[in-house]
Amino acid sequence: MAKIAASQSGAVLAKSATVASQKGNDMPRTWHDDSGAASLNSEGLPNAGIDYYISTQTIQETMGDNPSNKSYMVSISGKTLAENLEMLKKITSAIQDGDQSANIAAVELNLACPNIVGKPTIGYDFEQMEDVMKQVSSLPCFTSDKPLFPLGVKLPPYFDRPHFEMAAAILNKYKHILSYAASINTIGNALAVDYHAEMPSVRANNGYAGLSGPAVKHTALANVRQMRELLDDAIDVVGVGGVQSG
């Protein structure tokens, strides 16, 4: 993360965290097309655990002197709703009790990864998405006149207009706590085959993985445009996916 902080990036967003650290899926879990047009990944959320990403030491070591005053942001992707709520409480304590030189500027709630075993990705299960947002909004850090910290959400890609509308309708209900929506996550269930080995190029999940890279740019652009049309003006839209410059 220190390399990102030292780059020309506008901010640093930490890797999506779970409550406990985890190694992720077996290797190989990524694949890159020789032309550079596409990549696949089935990482399995490898991360150091939420306590690492919100510690004063980690933030200070990541940001360094921070002469351009970049923001440090935390991302969470719990295995269950209870884990997400637990991590938000931990972040609240870190902000209220921590060293002000290690400031957490915002938190991103990842709705684009599976949350409950046997259920779809949260962003595709609108009943689950509504429940997540409702319970998150009831936490003390969001119930005062001004939220303790800005909250964003990471969204999966949508392909049908009714799905855009349903997702936006839910998010608009929580515009009082929601600062932005990042769109898109990878396009799921892509497959690359190693024709020499006659097997999938990615080992995990029977070879099915998330598609990223330049190949997803036009899907991402359409998602950003439709979300901007549907979301309340109080909610910013952050474009992600296939971006190579700017």
Side-chain angles (χ1 to χ4, degrees):
M1 292 191 294
K3 291 182 179 180
I4 298 174
S7 73
Q8 295 300 308
S9 70
V12 176
L13 175 62
K15 189 172 183 62
S16 287
T18 48
V19 171
S21 62
Q22 56 186 45
K23 294 181 179 180
N25 293 333
D26 292 338
M27 302 288 189
R29 57 195 186 197
T30 61
W31 169 86
H32 304 282
D33 180 68
D34 290 338
S35 70
S39 297
L40 300 183
N41 83 80
S42 181
E43 295 268 357
L45 282 177
N47 73 94
I50 187 62
D51 289 338
Y52 171 81
Y53 296 107
I54 63 176
S55 74
T56 297
Q57 180 178 348
T58 296
I59 299 172
Q60 290 178 341
E61 290 178 352
T62 295
M63 304 308 293
D65 293 334
N66 197 14
S68 56
N69 198 30
K70 289 182 182 178
S71 296
Y72 176 85
M73 303 163 63
V74 175
S75 174
I76 61 172
S77 186
K79 296 178 181 179
T80 64
L81 172 56
E83 283 199 1
N84 279 327
L85 298 178
E86 179 182 348
M87 286 190 284
L88 286 167
K89 292 174 183 176
K90 282 177 172 284
I91 294 166
T92 296
S93 295
I95 291 173
Q96 291 177 331
D97 304 333
D99 187 335
Q100 291 303 306
S101 67
N103 182 45
I104 297 171
V107 177
E108 183 171 287
L109 175 61
N110 191 342
L111 302 181
C113 288
N115 181 292
I116 298 175
V117 175
K119 287 197 172 186
T121 296
I122 302 172
Y124 290 141
D125 182 346
F126 298 113
E127 181 178 348
Q128 187 184 178
M129 185 174 172
E130 173 76 61
D131 185 44
V132 167
M133 294 304 301
K134 181 179 180 181
Q135 294 204 44
V136 166
S137 69
S138 69
L139 292 174
C141 55
F142 297 120
T143 53
S144 60
D145 292 338
K146 182 181 179 181
L148 180 64
F149 49 82
L151 178 71
V153 293
K154 179 79 171 288
L155 297 175
Y158 297 106
F159 303 97
D160 294 327
R161 181 69 176 187
H163 293 164
F164 286 101
E165 293 171 348
M166 286 187 280
I170 293 170
L171 298 181
N172 283 337
K173 291 181 184 179
Y174 300 95
K175 64 182 181 181
H176 60 292
I177 67 165
L178 192 59
S179 295
Y180 74 88
S183 176
I184 61 173
N185 194 35
T186 57
I187 299 175
N189 286 304
L191 177 68
V193 176
D194 182 339
Y195 59 85
H196 295 294
E198 298 185 350
M199 61 188 298
S201 298
V202 172
R203 182 175 182 180
N205 197 30
N206 202 28
Y208 300 112
L211 175 67
S212 60
V216 309
K217 181 178 180 180
H218 301 289
T219 298
L221 190 61
N223 271 255
V224 168
R225 184 184 186 189
Q226 295 210 58
M227 279 299 170
R228 183 63 284 157
E229 292 172 353
L230 293 167
L231 288 174
D232 189 273
D233 289 343
I235 304 173
D236 292 330
V237 179
V238 179
V240 183
V243 180
Q244 293 180 285
S245 63

